[in-house]
């Protein structure tokens, strides 16, 4: 299998475009998400995105604040204890972005239906609420007939809802570790990343660590995303920051609040972008921006023991550089 | 010869699958790996790219031999979905009977469906994979009139005219053209007459080349990947 390592800049240039259907994961307000990838998308000026999110994250918050998003289909649009997502709120409230609500079950079910090539997925979730009857994409239609239409269960005769399958153009998925071929191990909750990897037409991984393939051969049962469905692998340590990557680092609460506060206004967003989007070019500069002391503190996580079985296979920065050059 | 022919069907970058009871495709895929082809080996144990260097010790292809050394676990349901998404390049399948239209019977012979004379094993994955795999490759180690028939009694799976469909027997290779299996080449040790005599439908286009014999390199690699000669179990 080919070496799929690619730089962050190349990955965004090659696998994203204006107007695409873009999915990201794990899409948890606090946990793993490909946030560094979202920063690079903002930097490269992507716009008119149709975003698929199981939940809002700081990535979606930032993309919305940047005015890059036209449509969102989502299961939860807040930022947990860090508040309403201000960037997203601003974009939706000023009419730039149209947000269509689903539940945290119906969104993954639609991804599952996409991955399994079902014509539709029957559901009793989101069924009977205004998530079924109201469509932000078709606001004049009530009750909406195209969002979760009613169908009859052919076996029992009872009615239920039908969900349309999702096949995003590209899913950018954060994983704890991947080999150069795209075989990936995730620590912590998967949060539908597995379904996402099966549904999307192209998959790009953002990995905190690159490991030797021998690691996957030791634990093939733990490789939930195999390289056969992966198109590219981006190495970006601390790539989930300011959210957490289980086993490696905790959430940076201070920055979570700070970032959300900044994204509340246009001026704040510009200031944030200047420092935390445009303010670095390399991984080294990115890590400097977070700060050595802060990183040490975040890495002192109580889940660190989860990494113990894998440590001997982790590639050093020098080895990764060689692998990048050897492509 | 058959193992070599199947191995030659595999191209760099392919995603290739075989199922149960498939010692010939297993040996062919290991052979292709040994010859340096860069493809992904999927099989019914769920192992992705198992360590092909360890020789098989049984004709069963649901053994630990095809899981050890895997880089990931991808179950049959997931492989089917991968195929339905158009991402599986080759499925190696077999049949009990086949017609010239590429209709495969794996279900029953004689009697009626509800009271068959001989109940056969059933289609397993063939009805799922044949319509969606880019290049279905069927192998059959016994080319005779009982197997290659004019008409099948039950169509367990059918070739998709929109996809490539190849049949490799112990005598020759057929490829699907305009919805019909046409003779593509014959193996060096047989004749057109022998192929005709053993085929249940009339072979009209007989002006076909002799398939290139295995090379020394291929034969040496074959012995290396299958020193226990598991591949002969099917013959």
């Amino acid at each position: 299998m080919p070496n799929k390592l690619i730089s962050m800049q190349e990955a965004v240039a090659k696998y994203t475009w204006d107007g695409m259907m873009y999915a990201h994961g794990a899409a948890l307000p606090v946990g793993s998400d490909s946030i560094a990838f979202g920063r690079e998308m903002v930097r490269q000026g992507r716009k008119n995105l149709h975003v698929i999110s199981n939940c809002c994250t700081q990535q979606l918050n930032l993309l919305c604040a940047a005015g890059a998003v036209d449509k969102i289909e989502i299961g939860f649009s807040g930022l947990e204890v860090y508040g309403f997502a201000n960037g997203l709120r601003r974009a939706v409230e000023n009419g730039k972005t149209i947000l269509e609500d689903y539940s945290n079950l119906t969104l993954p079910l639609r991804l599952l239906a996409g991955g399994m090539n079902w014509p539709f997925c029957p559901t009793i979730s989101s069924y009977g609420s205004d998530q079924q009857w109201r469509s932000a994409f078709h606001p004049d239609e009530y009750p909406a007939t195209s969002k979760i239409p009613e169908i009859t269960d052919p076996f029992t005769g009872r009615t239920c809802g039908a969900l349309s399958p999702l096949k995003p153009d590209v899913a950018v998925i954060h994983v704890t570790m991947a080999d150069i071929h795209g075989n990936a191990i995730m620590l912590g909750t998967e949060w539908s990343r597995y379904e996402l990897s099966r549904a999307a037409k192209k998959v790009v991984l953002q990995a905190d660590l690159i490991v030797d393939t021998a690691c996957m051969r030791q634990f093939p049962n733990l490789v939930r995303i195999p390289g056969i469905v992966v198109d590219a692998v981006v190495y970006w340590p601390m790539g989930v920051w300011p959210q957490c990557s289980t086993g490696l680092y905790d959430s940076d609460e201070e920055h979570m609040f700070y970032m959300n506060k900044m994204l509340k206004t246009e001026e704040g967003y510009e200031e944030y972008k200047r420092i935390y989007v445009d303010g670095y070019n390399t991984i080294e500069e990115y890590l400097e921006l977070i700060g050595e002391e802060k990183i040490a503190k975040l890495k002192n996580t109580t889940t660190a023991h989860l990494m113990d079985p894998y440590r001997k296979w982790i590639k050093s920065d020098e080895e990764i550089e060689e692998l990048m050059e050897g492509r | 010869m058959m193992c070599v022919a199947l191995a030659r069907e595999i191209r760099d970058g392919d995603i290739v699958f075989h199922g149960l009871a498939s010692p010939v495709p297993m040996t062919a895929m290991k052979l292709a790996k040994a010859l340096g082809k860069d493809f992904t080996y999927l099989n019914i144990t769920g192992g992705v790219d198992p360590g092909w260097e360890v020789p098989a010790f049984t004709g069963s292809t649901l053994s630990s031999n095809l899981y050890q050394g895997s880089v990931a676990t991808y179950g049959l349901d997931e492989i089917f979905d991968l195929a339905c998404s158009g991402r599986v390049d080759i499925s190696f399948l077999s049949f009990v009977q086949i017609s010239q239209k590429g209709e495969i019977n794996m279900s029953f012979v004689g009697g009626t469906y509800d009271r068959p004379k001989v109940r056969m094993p059933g289609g397993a994955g063939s009805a799922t994979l044949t319509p969606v795999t880019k290049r279905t490759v069927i192998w059959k180690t016994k080319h005779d009139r009982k197997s290659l028939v004019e008409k099948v009694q039950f169509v367990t799976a059918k070739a998709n005219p929109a996809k490539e469909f190849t049949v490799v027997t112990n005598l020759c290779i057929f490829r699907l053209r305009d919805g019909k299996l046409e003779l593509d080449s014959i193996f060096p040790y047989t004749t057109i007459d022998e192929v005709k005599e053993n085929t249940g439908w009339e072979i009209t286009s007989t002006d076909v080349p002799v398939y290139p014999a295995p090379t020394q390199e291929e034969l040496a690699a074959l012995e290396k990947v299958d020193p226990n000669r598991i591949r002969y179990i099917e013959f």
Side-chain angles (χ1 to χ4, degrees):
Chain A
M1 214 186 274
N3 178 349
K4 296 174 187 168
L5 275 180
I6 183 171
S7 76
M8 183 65 92
Q9 287 84 352
E10 281 177 273
V12 171
K14 185 169 176 191
Y15 292 101
T16 69
W17 59 92
D18 294 347
M20 72 182 298
M21 187 186 273
Y22 170 72
H24 61 113
L28 268 164
V30 192
S32 293
D33 188 34
S34 51
I35 295 176
F37 194 94
R39 291 180 202 271
E40 183 62 28
M41 283 176 81
V42 170
R43 202 224 295 254
Q44 293 193 22
R46 288 290 170 273
K47 54 183 192 292
N48 305 119
L49 301 172
H50 179 162
V51 183
I52 306 301
S53 310
N54 197 347
C55 273
C56 185
T57 71
Q58 290 284 26
Q59 173 174 196
L60 181 61
N61 204 16
L62 179 66
L63 286 168
C64 286
V69 182
D70 285 359
K71 289 178 175 178
I72 305 174
E73 299 185 65
I74 195 164
F76 175 73
S77 50
L79 270 187
E80 206 232 356
V81 296
Y82 307 99
F84 294 148
N86 292 325
L88 176 140
R89 255 190 89 177
R90 213 151 46 83
V92 174
E93 290 170 6
N94 70 21
K96 164 66 191 161
T97 304
I98 303 175
L99 185 150
E100 189 80 278
D101 277 299
Y102 286 89
S103 77
N104 285 135
L105 176 58
T106 42
L107 213 285
L109 280 176
R110 292 182 65 203
L111 293 170
L112 183 67
M116 298 188 79
N117 300 288
W118 291 341
F120 62 86
C121 175
T123 184
I124 50 170
S125 173
S126 295
Y127 175 70
S129 80
D130 262 347
Q131 283 190 13
Q132 178 186 19
W133 305 125
R134 300 289 297 273
S135 166
F137 293 165
H138 304 96
D140 301 330
E141 212 179 78
Y142 187 88
T145 51
S146 56
K147 190 176 169 187
I148 308 179
E150 236 170 27
I151 54 166
T152 306
D153 175 345
F155 298 104
T156 64
R158 74 173 185 167
T159 53
C160 55
L163 296 166
S164 60
L166 279 172
K167 282 183 181 269
D169 290 321
V170 175
V172 179
I173 300 175
H174 171 265
V175 296
T176 316
M177 61 199 107
D179 69 7
I180 60 170
H181 309 302
N183 298 296
I185 291 177
M186 297 171 273
L187 300 184
T189 177
E190 272 178 17
W191 193 250
S192 302
R193 279 179 278 180
Y194 168 70
E195 287 77 10
L196 190 52
S197 74
R198 293 174 72 178
K201 292 173 191 160
K202 299 261 181 205
V203 172
V204 177
L205 300 180
Q206 178 193 296
D208 273 318
L209 299 165
I210 301 297
V211 293
D212 195 278
T213 301
C215 177
M216 307 321 186
R217 295 195 192 279
Q218 185 70 36
F219 304 111
N221 267 96
L222 304 182
V223 177
R224 290 278 281 162
I225 302 179
I228 41 179
V229 299
V230 174
D231 295 273
V233 180
V234 177
Y235 167 60
W236 201 268
M238 297 294 295
V240 178
W241 176 80
Q243 299 185 183
C244 71
S245 181
T246 304
L248 293 176
Y249 46 91
D250 285 327
S251 296
D252 181 349
E253 300 228 322
E254 192 191 349
H255 195 90
M256 286 295 283
F257 283 117
Y258 165 79
M259 181 172 179
N260 199 29
K261 190 176 126 211
M262 296 300 274
L263 300 185
K264 193 168 189 174
T265 62
E266 192 57 36
E267 301 71 43
Y269 159 73
E270 289 298 342
E271 174 72 0
Y272 188 86
K273 178 170 182 282
R274 191 178 60 76
I275 305 170
Y276 293 105
V277 174
D278 299 329
Y280 63 91
N281 285 302
T282 62
I283 292 173
E284 294 70 34
E285 288 169 8
Y286 170 82
L287 296 176
E288 272 169 34
L289 206 54
I290 304 172
E292 210 173 313
E293 204 180 314
K294 174 66 79 62
I295 290 174
K297 189 177 148 219
L298 299 176
K299 283 192 171 174
N300 185 22
T301 168
T302 52
T303 61
H305 68 280
L306 294 176
M307 276 304 301
D308 290 348
Y310 312 103
R311 290 190 205 282
K312 68 175 171 179
W313 289 290
I314 296 172
K315 299 270 188 200
S316 68
D317 284 0
E318 292 72 38
E319 287 171 308
I320 294 168
E321 212 161 293
E322 265 174 47
L323 286 165
M324 286 284 285
E325 280 162 15
R327 287 176 299 161
Chain B
M1 182 76 248
M2 284 185 71
C3 289
V4 170
L6 294 188
R8 287 177 183 168
E9 293 292 312
I10 299 170
R11 300 172 202 160
D12 283 345
D14 277 353
I15 295 177
V16 188
F17 169 78
H18 75 67
L20 285 166
S22 309
V24 167
M26 167 179 72
T27 310
M29 283 163 75
K30 289 184 171 187
L31 171 63
K33 288 275 186 192
L35 293 169
K37 286 206 185 166
D38 183 12
F39 67 99
T40 301
Y41 188 146
L42 299 180
N43 72 84
I44 202 158
T45 66
V48 177
D49 264 340
W52 55 270
E53 301 90 340
V54 182
F57 53 86
T58 167
S60 165
T61 48
L62 190 56
S63 82
S64 60
N65 181 252
L66 290 182
Y67 188 72
Q68 55 81 27
S70 294
V71 294
T73 301
Y74 222 51
L76 188 60
D77 51 344
E78 294 155 331
I79 293 168
F80 284 163
D81 294 332
L82 194 73
C84 290
S85 298
R87 289 196 266 192
V88 172
D89 296 286
I90 295 181
S91 297
F92 285 120
L93 302 167
S94 193
F95 61 86
V96 180
Q97 288 187 320
I98 195 167
S99 76
Q100 195 181 8
K101 286 191 264 180
E103 295 164 330
I104 292 170
N105 180 12
M106 302 276 283
S107 300
F108 76 100
V109 177
T112 57
Y113 191 24
D114 58 340
R115 189 119 186 242
K117 186 164 165 230
V118 183
R119 173 63 221 186
M120 303 188 304
S126 56
T128 305
L129 293 170
T130 309
V132 295
T133 302
K134 288 181 201 161
R135 285 138 51 209
T136 296
V137 180
I138 309 279
W139 91 99
K140 181 74 180 172
T141 54
K142 209 171 190 181
H143 186 141
D144 60 28
R145 279 177 177 262
K146 274 196 233 163
S147 311
L148 286 84
V149 297
E150 197 183 353
K151 197 173 184 314
V152 294
Q153 203 176 350
F154 187 93
V155 181
T156 312
K158 189 172 185 305
N160 178 351
K163 310 272 180 189
E164 290 182 37
F165 186 91
T166 301
V167 178
V168 178
T169 75
N170 54 324
L171 297 183
C172 66
I173 297 179
F174 293 99
R175 296 197 197 267
L176 195 77
R177 288 187 200 112
D178 301 325
K180 275 165 90 177
L181 286 171
E182 300 285 0
L183 195 59
D184 186 73
S185 55
I186 61 169
F187 288 152
Y189 48 77
T190 185
T191 61
I192 292 282
D193 286 341
E194 190 185 11
V195 172
K196 277 181 146 179
E197 269 165 38
N198 288 286
T199 305
W201 64 78
E202 198 192 341
I203 294 175
T204 46
S205 53
T206 52
D207 186 20
V208 297
V210 173
Y211 190 80
T215 64
Q216 286 306 317
E217 191 199 0
E218 286 168 331
L219 291 174
L222 198 54
E223 280 307 313
K224 200 177 115 200
V225 299
D226 186 28
N228 301 325
R229 306 214 160 180
I230 296 297
R231 62 192 182 275
Y232 290 117
I233 285 174
E234 282 196 76
F235 292 89

